[in-house]
Amino acid sequence: MVVAVIDTGVDYDHRDIQANMWVNEAELNGQAGVDDDGNGYVDDIRGYNFAYNNADPMDDHGHGTNCAGTIAAVGNNGMDIAGVCWSARVMPLKIIGADGEGTAADAAPAIYYAADNGADVISSSWGSPDESQMIKDALAYARRRGVIVVAAAGNESSNKPFYPASYPGVIAVAATDTSDKRWYLSNYGDWVDIA
């Protein structure tokens, strides 16, 4: 299973995630400086950095690596943590810079990239209270391709819709605390699917 982590990037050299990183074999085994697989991105061996428009999705913030570890850190290896799915492959797609800021113009192409390059699941632990037709269209495209989309409900302690979690067909995930209660900052409402 390939999980596209659309976020701040992923530390693909992390000792507990490295073994479960997705690799674009056509680009890995191709020529440097050439779009070997014809997907419109040159040398996208490890995914893509839409925030800075280059082929290096290394995390310079930390959030995406945290998410990737929760998803697919190698289990039973005596190091760090165990992810939810020890054998999932993480496709890092960076849309958020070191400052924690990102745009719909970066997020939408990342969603298309995930859908077109073999992602089974898209993890989106980001969002906004504002809708974006660009992102909504990209998510609809991904869902038509059979991709499961999971998104954070947001951390504003609000019951107002948060996007992309509120879009149709997206699994909206709220946060709980150590007592299995709603984390005080987590958004909530009948648009949330799971906590």
Side-chain angles (χ1 to χ4, degrees), residues 9-91:
V10 174
D11 178 358
Y12 44 77
D13 291 327
H14 190 286
R15 68 181 193 166
D16 210 16
I17 305 172
Q18 183 179 28
N20 284 344
M21 294 303 301
W22 172 83
V23 175
N24 184 340
E25 295 290 341
E27 293 290 343
L28 177 67
N29 298 315
Q31 295 179 325
V34 175
D35 180 12
D36 299 287
D37 59 1
N39 69 356
Y41 299 93
V42 175
D43 296 335
D44 54 319
I45 295 169
R46 295 184 176 104
Y48 202 75
N49 183 334
F50 293 89
Y52 302 118
N53 196 30
N54 64 53
D56 186 8
M58 178 57 82
D59 192 352
D60 53 10
H61 181 277
H63 187 266
T65 301
N66 184 344
C67 294
T70 301
I71 294 165
V74 176
N76 203 28
N77 63 354
M79 291 190 292
D80 306 320
I81 65 166
V84 174
C85 186
W86 300 358
S87 61
R89 297 281 179 221
V90 173
M91 176 192 290

Side-chain angles (χ1 to χ4, degrees), residues 153 158-162 165-166 170 172 174 187-194:
S158 169
N159 66 352
K160 294 178 181 173
F162 191 76
S166 291
V170 175
N187 291 347
Y188 58 95
D190 59 6
W191 54 273
V192 173
D193 298 297
I194 193 169

Side-chain angles (χ1 to χ4, degrees), residues 104-170:
D106 292 331
I111 294 165
Y112 286 109
Y113 182 101
D116 289 339
N117 288 277
D120 299 294
V121 177
I122 291 174
S123 170
S124 301
S125 186
W126 49 269
S128 166
D130 302 319
E131 292 193 63
S132 163
Q133 190 63 48
M134 188 184 312
I135 292 176
K136 187 176 183 179
D137 292 345
L139 292 171
Y141 175 82
R143 288 193 314 276
R144 285 194 303 272
R145 304 262 325 203
V147 180
I148 296 168
V149 181
V150 181
N155 301 327
E156 288 74 35
S157 192
S158 169
N159 66 352
K160 294 178 181 173
F162 191 76
Y163 302 95
S166 291
Y167 288 129
V170 175

